[in-house]
Amino acid sequence: MEPVALVAPVTALEFAGDALLAGTGPEVVAFRLSGGGTAARRNVLREATVLGLRADRGPGAAAGRVAAFGGRWLAVLAVRAGGARLAVCGGGEARELRARVWEARWVLGGRLVLALGCGAVALYEWRGGGCWLRRATCDGAGALRCAVLAGTGWTRLALAAGTAMGTVVVWRVAAAQVPQQRLCGHCGAVLALCYSAPRGLLASASEDRSVRLWAVGDLGGGDGDGDGSCLLVCYGHGARVAAVALRGQCPISAGEDGACLEWDCGGGVRRDRRGHRGALRALALRPAGGCLATGGDDGGVRLWRPRRLAPAPVAALGAPLRPRSVLLAGPRRVLVLGEAGGLAAYEAAAGRWAVVLPPAAGGPRAVLAAASLPGGEDTLCALGGGDGRLLLFALSCPGDTTELRLFEGAVRGLGWAPRPGLPPGASSLLASGPDGEMLWLDVTHRPGRAPGMQVMGRYLLPLCKQRWHTCAAFLPQGGLLLCGDRRGSLLLFSCRRSSGQAVESTSVANGSTDPAVEGATNPVYEDNSSEPELSCFSHREALPLETPVSVLFGLHEKTGVTSVTCHGGYIYSTGRDGVYRQLRVQDQKLEVLRKHRPCKGLQWIEELRFTADGDLLVLGFHADNFVVWSSRMGENLHCIPCGGGHRSWSYCSSPEAEIVAFIKCGDVLLYQRGVEPHEQQVLLPSLHGREITCVRRLGAVEVPGRAAINVFVTGSEDTTACVLVLSECSQAAVPLAWLSDHVSSVRVLVPASLVGPGEEGFDDEGLSTLLFSAGGRAQIECYRLLCAADPASEGAVGCQVIHVASHRLDEHWERKKNRHKLVKMDPETRYMSLSVVPGTSTKQMPTPWKFLAAACSDGSVRVFGLLEAARKLVLVAESFHHQRCVLKVEAFLHIQAGGERRHLLCSAATDGGIAFWDITSPIADAVDALNEAEGEVKPLALGAPLLTVMAHSCGVNSLHIYETPEGRYLVASGSDDGSIHVCLLEVTLDGDNPMAGTCLHVLEQVAQPCAHAAHVTGIRVLRPDLLLSASVDQRLTLWQHGPGGLEELSTTFFHVPDVAEMDCWEVVEAGGERWLYCVLCGQGLEVLRGTIPPEPPPSEPPQ
């Protein structure tokens, strides 16, 4: 088999001209710095991982010549056409050397000096067949962990090496017997070194989480004038420091905590760069331009462009009144509402305050809302008072004010909501009063006159303690109004009936009356009363009081809904619970599709903003800091210490600047920063930051004008699952959607009910599947994934995620009665494996329930039932037969010749035993109980297994069942001891009665004791005579299964360490050629393919 695509940790980075080279596994990937994007990719080190890349920058050096090394392998590359071509020089292939290469340096003559793992320094001629020219051994080196070379010729060469004991030892090659210097200070192994010859500085990074700067002098000339003193000690990383570079006299370090820190001359952190999902492994600094590149375990590469360091741009404005709330009316004007109800405006251009309304205009407990008018030159303001009055005015003419009374009590909530179809200069205003009444008003701006107002509808909010709205949006579908309230609920109202019965009110400005909207088609009611507060309050009763057509009560908990946004045909709501939710409306009912937590530590999300380039900006609060989080970059674009979200604040983004105004210490503070290009550029998207524990192929999506694109889903130790595409052309993974509902690691994924193009249940071309994910903390999540072609997106495929249901055993325990008398479930219980029970719904017994079997670490085998329409996932049966950790479970369906169906289950545990169960009766009983009960049901007992086969001497790590054409079953398993076991089973009924019991007979058993040198973590039966296995020894082996046992056909080395799982599929090309594809996951992701051997001819019957 041959590799097709590889996603591996980035372990080396180097700038070469206008290209950036990245070492990922055995491959080198070239990126164009000018145009962006991947230019070329090439496998250069065969089976080794690229640990270092060194460009030849010496005088007279060949342009674009780079040495790549890792392990005992070395290759020289020629980078041509700005990275568009990568060629291997010196014979066209990598060379295996006598020892491990720790460092390489180009010297005069285009030769290489290598620092070897045995503590030796050698001069190597890589051209031709390759030969060793000189060699020197440095005594007393010990166990090396890193090295750096200095000097331009053999006689002036020096070696600095970091040891496992935390010491940096410096030798001169001319006198290698005695170390020139020993630099002590680190408390752990030294993992990286960087030397600056012009300044005579050496930077070291250690696993003790520190970076140190040493004065070593000129190592490549004379005896050096450095005394080896430690000039700087930098502490700030939260984990081991893996890479270090020098920019002038200041070090830059990358650590396993995912942070790239730039230090100042005093040892403090000058710049903290974050964005990767996992540990950083590689760091490179461009000699000219100051660009910085980082790469890590997430397989991503990011380019950081230099940004001007400016002092904190926060200025105190000195408000003329005691501020109650602050609001930005565009990028150049700040509005402040005082405690007494007055309003003042700050003009940024003039730098001074102006009083808009006198102190008692709105009264105490007033609320303010503003909406920018077309062109952005003026702002329409609404001021609601504590006595129920509403003031409407344009900011340019505060004297022309419409004043009316809305409620008998205070105006609680006030906000503008854009509505499709309104003419320019008109906006919709929503106001909430006492007793949960909310009014919809259409306000029209009339230059030179007071704004006009029309009451469009009245709505009643559900009964709760905090009964007012906090945000609202008119849906693009038309006729629907969505509101979020202070209780955390989402409310959907119908506004078609209300708008048809609108009542126009008269406006009162400067003591005179005036029709609100001239020439209106709706009935107009004019009131020439001298009491302006009666103009709206006394006549709003003409409109009916509407109740919600759909309510999601307490969706965002008791902290309240902060915003609702419509984008791409979906609704997004945010709240102070730290998550945002995606919803849709079907048949005037709100349906939650999924919830998402954008990043850890973001306790309060205020708003979502979708940018034109496809990024999602999350506005919220991290502790007492206001942050703007970029979902694409995975970092904070802005972080302002404002004191917390309970204070009044306002944010405005314009093409010229980013502005935040907030109240702190009784004053108004203004943060303003000019718009700059993004400091961070993603060259290679990040995948998972930790080990990938499971992978499944969902299918292929046909995209017009392109080859079919495979869609995969992966789960990881980083508690997330990712839906991604892996293209054979670009050989890169593009994430489509992230699933972040798990609180612990995701250990297993299993799809069910795949629906492809043309099949019932999916109209568009694409894939629809039900996906189950499970892992730590005994948690199961269920999703519906809809994948379809989207040529405009980066991966050419779009994915919509619908969260269906979830289940946690600890929540199930909390709902039990008399639980104080029971033993609580172990919170560390993990789901090790899942399997969907096939064929549970038939024409004879149609049921909407789907069933799922789970292997648990607490020694149980559990069966769950899912009702997708009701979004209910319940535990229906369990058994503790194994009494030890159950590692694998597999369900299969047996159909007798007469049509009798038997649901069978296979489970394997840490003792090497494989148990077979008949779960037909428990499933039938569970269906009856679930149809009768409305809530939870008491778990049934699975009974005793039919048969137990002791297949291995230790834990079973892989299991697969294959049905033969004769109706028998091949059960293949792999174990911790590297062995493979295959048994052939036959299923019969105990008698002719359809209700008779099931019998299992073992017809044949085959064992291969030392099939692999390590754990067998993946196994698949491809045909009755073919078997594929994958092991931690990084070998993928194809076996031929016959009466005599297993015979090895081929073995392929793959580049994913610690492989955790394998998935396989077949592809038949247009010419009829059949290909076998295999995807492996572990510390990376790799896809391989190979041809399938032809089937053997059928054996002739004996004469």
Side-chain angles (χ1 to χ4, degrees):
M1 301 186 76
E2 59 181 7
V4 172
L6 174 66
V7 179
V10 178
T11 50
L13 290 167
E14 180 72 342
F15 288 95
D18 193 43
L20 172 65
L21 304 182
T24 168
E27 298 180 342
V28 173
V29 185
F31 303 95
R32 294 189 187 96
L33 297 181
S34 56
T38 304
R41 181 187 292 260
R42 186 183 180 98
N43 188 318
V44 297
L45 290 190
R46 294 186 181 178
E47 300 177 358
T49 299
V50 178
L51 298 179
L53 295 165
R54 299 294 178 263
D56 189 358
R57 297 191 177 94
R65 192 164 58 189
V66 179
F69 57 89
R72 300 172 63 180
W73 292 84
L74 174 70
V76 177
L77 299 175
V79 184
R80 298 166 182 165
R85 291 182 56 198
L86 293 176
V88 181
C89 307
E93 61 181 11
R95 293 172 183 157
E96 187 174 9
L97 307 180
R98 62 184 68 174
R100 175 170 181 169
V101 181
W102 281 108
E103 180 61 292
R105 180 176 177 81
W106 294 94
V107 295
L108 296 177
R111 294 167 177 168
L112 282 169
V113 175
L114 305 177
L116 304 178
C118 54
V121 177
L123 183 62
Y124 184 72
E125 176 56 73
W126 57 272
R127 285 165 287 213
C131 63
W132 301 97
L133 302 180
R134 288 192 177 187
R135 179 185 175 91
T137 302
C138 302
D139 296 336
L144 300 186
R145 298 298 298 272
C146 60
V148 66
L149 291 162
T152 55
W154 180 259
T155 58
R156 302 171 63 87
L157 202 64
L159 170 69
T163 68
M165 302 303 294
T167 305
V168 179
V169 187
V170 180
W171 294 272
R172 288 188 55 80
V173 175
Q177 293 78 11
V178 180
Q180 183 181 0
Q181 292 177 339
R182 287 185 181 270
L183 311 178
C184 302
H186 286 292
C187 300
V190 180
L191 303 179
L193 293 171
C194 181
Y195 174 66
S196 175
R199 292 176 171 81
L201 299 177
L202 180 69
S204 60
S206 170
E207 65 179 11
D208 65 0
R209 302 181 296 175
S210 73
V211 176
R212 292 176 181 259
L213 191 64
W214 313 85
V216 295
D218 186 6
L219 298 180
D223 296 330
D225 53 356
D227 57 358
S229 60
C230 183
L231 303 178
L232 197 64
V233 180
C234 306
Y235 279 98
H237 282 283
R240 301 192 305 176
V241 187
V244 66
L246 279 172
R247 174 179 284 168
Q249 299 181 0
C250 301
I252 302 175
S253 57
E256 294 185 1
D257 56 352
C260 178
L261 303 182
E262 184 173 353
W263 308 87
D264 58 25
C265 296
V269 178
R270 176 187 297 177
R271 182 68 61 85
D272 185 351
R273 297 178 174 92
R274 297 176 187 266
H276 288 268
R277 289 181 168 267
L280 297 184
R281 299 293 176 190
L283 175 68
L285 185 64
R286 192 176 188 184
C291 290
L292 186 70
T294 55
D297 285 349
D298 59 359
V301 177
R302 303 192 177 216
L303 184 68
W304 307 82
R305 303 187 184 277
R307 174 180 289 184
R308 177 177 55 88
L309 287 175
V314 178
L317 302 183
L321 41 79
R322 183 172 180 82
R324 171 182 172 83
S325 63
V326 64
L327 190 64
L328 284 170
R332 297 181 296 273
R333 184 178 293 133
V334 183
L335 300 180
V336 174
L337 180 64
E339 291 283 359
L343 184 64
Y346 177 83
E347 298 291 340
R352 63 174 181 266
W353 288 93
V355 176
V356 179
L357 295 177
R365 297 182 299 162
V367 290
L368 176 67
S372 297
L373 294 173
E377 298 298 330
D378 204 355
T379 302
L380 198 59
C381 298
L383 182 64
D387 55 357
R389 291 182 300 124
L390 177 68
L391 304 180
L392 298 172
F393 58 93
L395 196 59
S396 59
C397 301
D400 296 332
T401 303
T402 298
E403 180 179 351
L404 60 155
R405 187 179 180 189
L406 296 182
F407 308 106
E408 292 182 343
V411 179
R412 298 287 189 181
L414 193 65
W416 299 93
R419 183 164 68 93
L422 280 179
S427 298
S428 293
L429 179 69
L430 294 167
S432 297
D435 301 326
E437 184 178 358
M438 183 176 69
L439 293 179
W440 164 23
L441 314 172
D442 272 358
V443 181
T444 304
H445 172 61
R446 300 180 297 179
R449 302 165 62 186
M453 188 274 297
Q454 186 178 19
V455 183
M456 303 295 294
R458 296 173 61 218
Y459 305 100
L460 185 64
L461 304 181
L463 184 65
C464 61
K465 182 178 180 181
Q466 297 168 317
R467 202 177 179 189
W468 64 87
H469 86 284
T470 55
C471 54
F474 288 91
L475 302 188
Q477 295 91 333
L480 293 175
L481 170 64
L482 180 65
C483 295
D485 67 3
R486 185 60 180 82
R487 177 56 179 80
S489 306
L490 283 182
L491 317 169
L492 186 65
F493 295 95
S494 175
C495 53
R496 287 197 179 100
R497 290 177 295 174
S498 302
S499 60
Q501 304 174 8
V503 174
E504 286 196 60
S505 169
T506 57
S507 60
V508 178
N510 300 327
S512 63
T513 60
D514 189 24
V517 179
E518 298 178 358
T521 57
N522 291 326
V524 178
Y525 182 86
E526 294 190 9
D527 183 9
N528 295 321
S529 171
S530 60
E531 298 183 11
E533 60 270 15
L534 297 178
S535 59
C536 175
F537 175 70
S538 59
H539 303 296
R540 69 167 193 249
E541 304 295 336
L543 291 175
L545 195 60
E546 303 284 351
T547 57
V549 297
S550 178
V551 178
L552 296 178
F553 187 78
L555 182 67
H556 285 276
E557 302 177 359
K558 295 182 179 181
T559 51
V561 183
T562 54
S563 73
V564 288
T565 309
C566 299
H567 178 76
Y570 295 97
I571 303 168
Y572 297 85
S573 66
T574 63
R576 300 178 185 180
D577 53 355
V579 298
Y580 69 83
R581 288 170 169 82
Q582 185 183 26
L583 307 97
R584 67 181 177 187
V585 177
Q586 284 193 338
D587 301 327
Q588 292 196 346
K589 297 294 181 182
L590 288 171
E591 179 184 1
V592 179
L593 301 182
R594 60 177 301 205
K595 68 176 182 178
H596 187 73
R597 188 176 299 274
C599 65
K600 294 181 179 179
L602 198 61
Q603 303 99 336
W604 180 331
I605 300 179
E606 185 67 25
E607 187 181 350
L608 302 179
R609 297 199 177 185
F610 296 88
T611 63
D613 59 355
D615 196 5
L616 171 61
L617 301 182
V618 182
L619 281 61
F621 292 88
H622 187 287
D624 58 351
N625 298 324
F626 173 78
V627 299
V628 179
W629 172 270
S630 170
S631 300
R632 170 181 291 177
M633 302 298 179
E635 65 166 348
N636 287 330
L637 301 182
H638 302 280
C639 183
I640 303 120
C642 66
H646 61 283
R647 306 170 185 268
S648 178
W649 62 274
S650 181
Y651 171 78
C652 178
S653 176
S654 70
E656 297 82 19
E658 307 279 342
I659 306 104
V660 178
F662 56 94
I663 297 176
K664 190 174 183 181
C665 300
D667 199 356
V668 177
L669 303 183
L670 187 66
Y671 168 93
Q672 187 168 0
R673 182 185 293 274
V675 174
E676 300 177 358
H678 285 304
E679 180 188 20
Q680 182 183 171
Q681 180 182 357
V682 179
L683 298 180
L684 200 61
S686 299
L687 203 54
H688 293 285
R690 297 182 62 184
E691 179 185 0
I692 302 176
T693 56
C694 46
V695 62
R696 282 290 184 269
R697 176 182 178 265
L698 300 179
V701 176
E702 298 291 339
V703 179
R706 302 181 58 172
I709 298 178
N710 290 307
V711 182
F712 301 89
V713 59
T714 57
S716 171
E717 292 282 353
D718 65 1
T719 74
T720 64
C722 179
V723 183
L724 58 97
V725 295
L726 200 58
S727 172
E728 296 183 33
C729 300
S730 63
Q731 299 183 3
V734 179
L736 303 179
W738 290 93
L739 313 178
S740 56
D741 296 293
H742 283 270
V743 297
S744 187
S745 61
V746 181
R747 302 188 63 92
V748 57
L749 296 162
V750 56
S753 65
L754 278 171
V755 179
E759 298 183 29
E760 183 180 357
F762 198 62
D763 298 331
D764 301 327
E765 293 186 356
L767 296 169
S768 174
T769 181
L770 197 66
L771 177 71
F772 294 94
S773 64
R777 297 287 176 174
Q779 181 180 1
I780 300 178
E781 300 290 336
C782 179
Y783 306 90
R784 170 66 66 177
L785 305 181
L786 306 175
C787 302
D790 184 10
S793 63
E794 182 180 2
V797 175
C799 179
Q800 174 60 47
V801 180
I802 302 175
H803 185 263
V804 177
S806 64
H807 186 278
R808 289 181 61 179
L809 285 181
D810 54 352
E811 295 178 354
H812 171 72
W813 183 88
E814 291 291 342
R815 289 193 292 267
K816 284 188 175 182
K817 296 181 179 179
N818 299 323
R819 59 178 181 269
H820 62 282
K821 300 179 181 180
L822 305 174
V823 178
K824 186 176 181 179
M825 184 274 309
D826 182 9
E828 297 301 325
T829 298
R830 301 179 301 278
Y831 290 118
M832 311 300 294
S833 177
L834 295 177
S835 181
V836 176
V837 180
T840 55
S841 179
T842 63
K843 294 181 179 180
Q844 294 79 12
M845 188 182 68
T847 174
W849 288 90
K850 294 181 175 62
F851 292 92
L852 180 75
C856 308
S857 63
D858 60 357
S860 68
V861 176
R862 291 183 170 95
V863 178
F864 296 86
L866 171 71
L867 184 59
E868 185 176 2
R871 299 194 172 189
K872 183 189 298 184
L873 183 64
V874 296
L875 175 65
V876 297
E878 62 184 353
S879 172
F880 288 85
H881 164 78
H882 285 281
Q883 296 294 318
R884 51 182 52 83
C885 177
V886 185
L887 297 175
K888 290 293 177 181
V889 67
E890 194 81 17
F892 58 103
L893 175 67
H894 176 73
I895 303 177
Q896 289 288 115
E900 296 85 1
R901 303 162 70 92
R902 290 292 185 269
H903 298 288
L904 302 176
L905 185 66
C906 175
S907 60
T910 53
D911 61 349
I914 302 177
F916 297 89
W917 314 70
D918 184 359
I919 59 173
T920 308
S921 296
I923 285 182
D925 296 340
V927 170
D928 296 337
L930 290 170
N931 291 333
E932 295 176 1
E934 296 182 357
E936 297 286 343
V937 297
K938 184 178 180 180
L940 306 174
L942 287 180
L946 302 175
L947 175 68
T948 300
V949 177
M950 294 305 298
H952 303 276
S953 60
C954 52
V956 179
N957 276 324
S958 52
L959 181 67
H960 188 236
I961 299 177
Y962 178 87
E963 184 177 2
T964 65
E966 296 82 12
R968 298 170 178 175
Y969 300 91
L970 279 172
V971 181
S973 58
S975 175
D976 284 343
D977 57 7
S979 64
I980 294 177
H981 182 273
V982 181
C983 66
L984 181 62
L985 294 181
E986 184 180 34
V987 182
T988 60
L989 298 183
D990 189 11
D992 297 332
N993 185 359
M995 302 301 295
T998 306
C999 295
L1000 292 181
H1001 306 279
V1002 179
L1003 304 181
E1004 178 186 343
Q1005 293 192 66
V1006 173
Q1008 188 72 21
C1010 293
H1012 288 274
H1015 310 334
V1016 181
T1017 53
I1019 196 164
R1020 285 292 184 277
V1021 181
L1022 307 177
R1023 290 199 315 245
D1025 62 320
L1026 280 182
L1027 186 74
L1028 188 68
S1029 63
S1031 170
V1032 178
D1033 62 5
Q1034 294 183 245
R1035 299 295 188 273
L1036 185 67
T1037 305
L1038 186 65
W1039 306 86
Q1040 183 174 8
H1041 174 236
L1046 296 178
E1047 179 182 353
E1048 181 181 337
L1049 295 180
S1050 64
T1051 297
T1052 304
F1053 176 86
F1054 56 85
H1055 302 95
V1056 177
D1058 299 330
V1059 62
E1061 196 174 43
M1062 174 181 69
D1063 196 13
C1064 301
W1065 69 98
E1066 291 186 13
V1067 174
V1068 180
E1069 295 187 347
E1073 188 175 9
R1074 300 177 63 188
W1075 290 90
L1076 171 66
Y1077 283 79
C1078 175
V1079 59
L1080 301 158
C1081 69
Q1083 292 184 17
L1085 193 69
E1086 185 174 12
V1087 177
L1088 302 97
R1089 75 167 187 172
T1091 57
I1092 301 178
E1095 296 187 18
S1099 58
E1100 297 182 0
Q1103 298 295 331

